[in-house]
Amino acid sequence: MRTSKPIATISYNTQEFLLYKLNEMIKSHTISDYIFINHFAEEDERKNHIHLWLKPNKLLDTMDIQAFLTEVDPLNPTKPLKCIDFVTSNVDDWILYGMHLEPYLKSKNEERQYHYTK
């Protein structure tokens, strides 16, 4: 997808790698802002993960960003750590869902075991 609108994904990268790459994108003016929230795996999920939101600073190809955020896993070099497909995202909804704010989840008929704070 080519877009200049805010985008979001779920990342399975290590936090250190992700921070390094996100800060590179800020320095290169590829993005102007980012937010992420670490999540524990819920009962219906297999792994801990990171919810990631990006504000592009120009037109981006999300497949290029996915490739840029691909990390070699030293424990399993044949299966890299990476992001799932990006989607366009409204930051307010992203924050409310990312925090698993109970009133927001209830309004969407959802329920989660873990809840996060700022």
Side-chain angles (χ1 to χ4, degrees):
M1 166 176 64
R2 289 171 41 97
T3 187
S4 58
K5 294 181 180 180
I7 52 177
T9 188
I10 294 175
S11 166
Y12 293 98
N13 299 105
T14 61
Q15 182 172 315
E16 296 76 19
F17 175 88
L18 188 60
L19 271 171
Y20 178 79
K21 291 297 200 169
L22 293 171
N23 287 325
E24 276 190 15
M25 288 194 289
I26 291 278
K27 288 176 190 171
S28 69
H29 298 200
T30 303
I31 62 172
S32 61
D33 200 7
Y34 64 83
I35 309 168
F36 67 84
I37 301 173
N38 290 299
H39 275 208
F40 296 111
E42 298 276 346
E43 290 177 1
D44 60 344
E45 299 168 332
R46 294 187 316 193
K47 294 183 189 178
N48 293 345
H49 53 279
I50 300 170
H51 283 248
L52 174 63
W53 180 89
L54 303 176
K55 183 178 181 184
N57 195 44
K58 59 185 177 183
L59 185 64
L60 299 178
D61 184 323
T62 57
M63 290 176 72
D64 291 340
I65 301 300
Q66 278 181 297
F68 183 73
L69 294 177
T70 299
E71 174 182 11
V72 174
D73 183 350
L75 301 176
N76 188 358
T78 61
K79 187 164 175 144
L81 304 173
K82 56 185 181 176
C83 300
I84 65 170
D85 291 342
F86 281 88
V87 296
T88 57
S89 177
N90 171 299
V91 70
D92 294 330
D93 288 331
W94 183 90
I95 290 170
L96 294 172
Y97 180 80
M99 291 175 63
H100 286 175
L101 191 68
E102 286 189 82
Y104 178 80
L105 291 176
K106 283 182 183 180
S107 78
K108 303 289 184 185
N109 293 319
E110 292 190 35
E111 196 173 299
R112 289 294 184 200
Q113 175 184 359
Y114 298 107
H115 302 278
Y116 304 93
T117 60
K118 191 174 176 183

